[in-house]
């Protein structure tokens, strides 16, 4: 996984609650052989046609300077619905490195952490304030998310702290390979299974291949 | 110390506790499907890693396959590479695949309990958010993403943080025409689409205890629509009867040992939950959604809400946006809204009992002119059993299509789609924008409600049709 520490750039406000992963990447786009997932981001909102050839000019990520957005500011329960990790890949593929919202769905949050997309929750009023400032555009559209310092700096230069689980923070900062780490516990897993095989033999004798 | 069903299963599966607050949890059953696992296999191969426990893993073709009679891998052309990759990946790793033409094929969350792959007390992971369905049998079943899926393939474990616990008690027993689908829709309407985030839910109470296992699966299926990755119902005699004799269920001495273990699982009477919600089940009516989130739901005698009447600005904008997308006007009675399509299927409501309940409404009636109605059994076994009872004839005579088992019109990931602007009443679980196809308008309801709408040509209170 790529390391994450500080993300600075244009932030796009999408102040809608419950943005689901079907909206972030509609299913037909997960199966197209010749497109990258970044092209698929918000496809139903972003394009007029199914092939994605014609933009909807009023969609925020089709407008300058948001075409180059690095940060997305969104409503509550972001990433709800399907577990598709493609939603995270689509955001990253487009260039979004951080999403700021009052809350995230559990699976989306987990998927984000595992791919180096920095999902930051801030209190709802703070997100609403940032969203309003971005919408007005008077204060500018650039923001910074700093994982070292655990702060978000809004377009008005106001800096707010955010909370993140220390283990997740380390994993993101160091770009850890979780599977590699778990495999160091291979003996503990084998020991668990040996014990468990005695107490719950039916788990291991299902005979799926028989 | 007194424990909940969730606590007992979780605690007995911890392989290691880490100083950072996570645990390594053993996965007893890993279930794969065609849409969700190919990228994980590719990454695993690239890293030079092997599948650790193929004997604890099964796979099925379900999402990206055709539901057309006589289908092959390439009947839905875009799906062919996915079907093939799953065949190859599972064959190479020695994993049992319930493939396209296997009599045991079906939607992963339908076949896992039906075949006895899922059992009470097991931990089960699958790269699909509706894995929570399987909690209806008393398993700790959790939906995972691709990275986690790769982690399970390589290690047979998951790194997890312990969720909080929540009990939802449905007191009393609902009236006729009211199903488990209406119970869960009602709950989502009450506590909202993020009402369960961070929690493992246990459903309890008289209404749940009296539900057959298949209906408990329906109830747990939509836990994710509350934001919960885990939904469960304690196993009881109803569960054990359901499991006995299933294809991969334990037999003989193993059955006796398993049963003795299962009986220790239900939450202790003095166990405490982080949160409790109580719903009077006697008051629940048949429900139908009106918007683009499962929380946008009302009893059938309700009216399309007026966004202006909503309290907070966010909700107002959301509702406005939903109504524009759905092409609905505030104040319109739900009862009577005309439909284009009626879909009976998906891992929420495609089991034999669902088809029976729908057939009971359809029998002797005809699909309304201009309506496309389809039934897609959740598994090939369900299809076979339904045909043995003559349910296929009931549906066909009424003008329904009777198709092969698959996810079909639930997620628009194959040729079964709802067209732009078309209105579909569906027994599936998500009414998101574009879920059943770009521009599709989806309304969630129970199988009897969908059957009633199919014959009436519009939403209608199934209790008026009776059976
Ligand atoms: S039926 Fe629908 S919700 Fe269920 S697994 Fe298939 S696509 Fe997902």
């Amino acid at each position: 996984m790529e390391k994450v520490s500080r993300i600075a750039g244009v932030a796009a406000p999408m102040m809608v609650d419950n943005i689901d992963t079907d909206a972030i990447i509609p299913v037909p786009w997960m199966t197209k052989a010749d497109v990258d997932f970044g092209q698929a981001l918000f496809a139903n909102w972003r394009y007029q046609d199914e092939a994605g050839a014609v933009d909807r000019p009023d969609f925020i990520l089709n407008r300058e300077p948001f075409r180059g957005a690095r940060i997305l500011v969104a409503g509550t329960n972001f990433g709800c619905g399907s577990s598709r990790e493609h939603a995270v890949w689509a955001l990253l593929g487009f260039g979004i490195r951080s999403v700021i919202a009052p809350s995230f769905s559990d699976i989306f949050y987990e998927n984000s952490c595992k791919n180096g997309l920095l999902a930051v929750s801030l209190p709802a009023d703070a997100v609403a304030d940032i969203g309003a400032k971005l919408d007005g555009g008077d204060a500018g559209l650039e923001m910074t998310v700093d994982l070292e310092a655990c702060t978000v700096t809004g377009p008005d230069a106001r800096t707010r702290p955010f909370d993140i689980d220390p283990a997740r923070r380390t994993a993101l900062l160091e770009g850890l390979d979780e599977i590699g780490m778990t495999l160091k516990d291979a003996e503990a897993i084998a020991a668990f299974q040996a014990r468990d095989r005695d107490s719950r033999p039916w788990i291991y004798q299902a005979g799926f291949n028989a | 110390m007194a424990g909940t069903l969730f606590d007992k299963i979780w605690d007995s599966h911890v392989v290691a506790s880490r100083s950072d607050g996570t645990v390594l949890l053993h996965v007893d059953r890993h279930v794969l499907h065609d849409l969700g696992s190919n990228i994980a296999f590719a990454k695993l191969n690239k890293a030079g890693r092997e599948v650790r426990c193929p004997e604890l893993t099964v796979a099925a073709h379900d999402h990206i396959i055709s539901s057309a009679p006589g289908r092959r891998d390439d009947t839905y052309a875009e799906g062919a590479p996915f079907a093939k990759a799953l065949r190859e990946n599972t064959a190479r790793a020695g994993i049992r695949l319930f493939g396209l033409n296997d009599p045991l094929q079906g939607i992963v969350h339908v076949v896992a309990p039906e075949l006895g792959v899922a059992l009470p007390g097991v931990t089960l992971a699958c790269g699909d958010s509706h894995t929570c369905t399987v909690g209806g049998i008393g398993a700790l079943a959790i939906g995972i993403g691709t990275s986690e899926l790769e982690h399970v393939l390589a290690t047979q474990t998951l790194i997890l943080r312990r969720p909080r616990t929540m009990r939802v008690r449905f007191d009393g027993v609902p009236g006729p025409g009211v199903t488990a689908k209406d119970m869960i829709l009602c709950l989502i309407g009450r506590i909202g689409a993020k009402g369960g985030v961070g929690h493992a839910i246990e459903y309890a109470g008289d209404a749940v205890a009296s539900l057959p296992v298949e209906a408990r699966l329906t109830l747990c299926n939509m836990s994710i629509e509350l934001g919960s990755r885990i939904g469960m119902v304690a196993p009881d005699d109803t569960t054990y009867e359901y499991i006995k004799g299933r294809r991969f269920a334990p037999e003989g001495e193993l059955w006796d040992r398993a049963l003795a273990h299962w009986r220790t699982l239900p939450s202790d009477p003095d166990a405490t939950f982080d949160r409790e919600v109580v719903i009077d089940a006697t008051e629940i009516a048949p429900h139908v959604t009106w918007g683009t989130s499962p929380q946008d739901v009302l009893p059938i005698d309700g009216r399309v809400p007026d966004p202006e009447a909503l309290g907070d600005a966010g909700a107002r904008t959301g509702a406005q946006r939903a109504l524009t997308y759905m092409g609905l006007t505030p104040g319109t009675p739900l009862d009577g809204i005309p439909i284009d399509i009626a879909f009976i299927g998906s891992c929420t409501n495609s089991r034999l009992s669902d088809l029976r309940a729908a057939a009971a409404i359809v029998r002797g009636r005809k699909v309304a002119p201009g309506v496309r109605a389809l039934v897609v059994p959740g598994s090939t076994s369900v299809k076979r059993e339904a045909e043995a009872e003559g349910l296929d004839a009931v549906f066909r005579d009424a003008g329904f299509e009777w198709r092969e088992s698959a996810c079909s019109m639930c997620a628009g990931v194959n040729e079964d789609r709802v067209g732009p602007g078309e209105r579909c009443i569906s027994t599936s679980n998500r009414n998101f924008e574009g879920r059943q196809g770009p521009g599709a308008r989806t309304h969630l309801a129970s199988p009897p409600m969908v059957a009633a709408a199919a014959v009436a040509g519009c939403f209608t209170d199934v209790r008026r049709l009776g059976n």
Side-chain angles (χ1 to χ4, degrees), chain B residues 63 107 109 128 130 346-347 407 410-411 429 435:
Chain B
H63 279 71
I107 303 172
H109 316 309
D128 189 282
H130 288 103
S346 92
C347 58
C407 291
C410 172
N429 44 47
R435 170 75 177 181

Side-chain angles (χ1 to χ4, degrees), chain B residues 171-222:
Chain B
D171 286 346
V173 174
V178 179
T179 68
K181 181 66 161 285
D182 302 299
M183 289 164 63
I184 190 69
L185 284 173
C186 170
L187 175 66
I188 299 168
R190 290 277 169 94
I191 70 171
K194 61 183 170 71
V197 171
H199 288 79
I201 301 181
E202 178 175 344
Y203 301 97
D206 323 322
V208 177
S210 63
L211 289 177
V213 168
E214 295 191 356
R216 296 176 186 181
L217 297 166
T218 300
L219 191 65
C220 290
N221 173 271
M222 291 186 73

Side-chain angles (χ1 to χ4, degrees), chain A residues 189-201:
Chain A
I189 299 169
F192 174 93
Q193 289 187 331
R195 266 193 328 268
D196 195 33
R197 208 179 290 270
D198 286 339
S199 58
R200 297 186 311 151

Side-chain angles (χ1 to χ4, degrees), chain B residues 53-104:
Chain B
C53 297
E55 74 282 6
L56 301 182
T57 311
V58 297
H61 283 142
D62 56 2
H63 279 71
I64 187 165
I65 55 172
S66 168
S67 67
R71 66 180 174 197
R72 298 187 325 235
D73 274 19
D74 59 356
T75 306
Y76 177 62
E78 270 188 45
F82 287 79
K84 178 161 172 275
L86 188 64
R87 270 186 218 292
E88 290 172 357
N89 288 326
T90 50
R92 200 178 314 120
I95 293 167
R96 173 66 191 269
L97 169 67
F98 306 124
L100 203 63
N101 297 313
D102 190 315
L104 303 186

Side-chain angles (χ1 to χ4, degrees), chain A residues 20 22 27 31 45 76 81-83 85 106-107 110 165 167-168 177 182 185 193 198 200 203 208-209, chain B residues 13 18 20 26 28-29 49 78 94 96 129 145-147 151 161 194 198 257 413 430 432-433 435:
Chain A
D20 58 77
D22 273 85
V27 128
T31 62
W45 294 346
T76 190
S82 155
S83 59
E85 203 156 314
D106 291 339
I107 303 182
E110 202 62 61
D165 178 285
R168 291 197 196 275
D177 165 23
T182 300
D185 278 331
Q193 289 187 331
D198 286 339
R200 297 186 311 151
I203 297 296
F208 298 137
N209 275 310
Chain B
H13 284 81
R18 294 174 164 173
D20 62 12
H26 187 259
D28 297 338
R29 296 285 183 261
R49 289 171 176 150
E78 270 188 45
R96 173 66 191 269
S129 60
T146 310
S147 297
H151 192 277
R161 286 165 173 78
K194 61 183 170 71
R257 286 185 67 180
V413 62
R430 285 187 178 139
F432 299 156
E433 280 187 31
R435 170 75 177 181

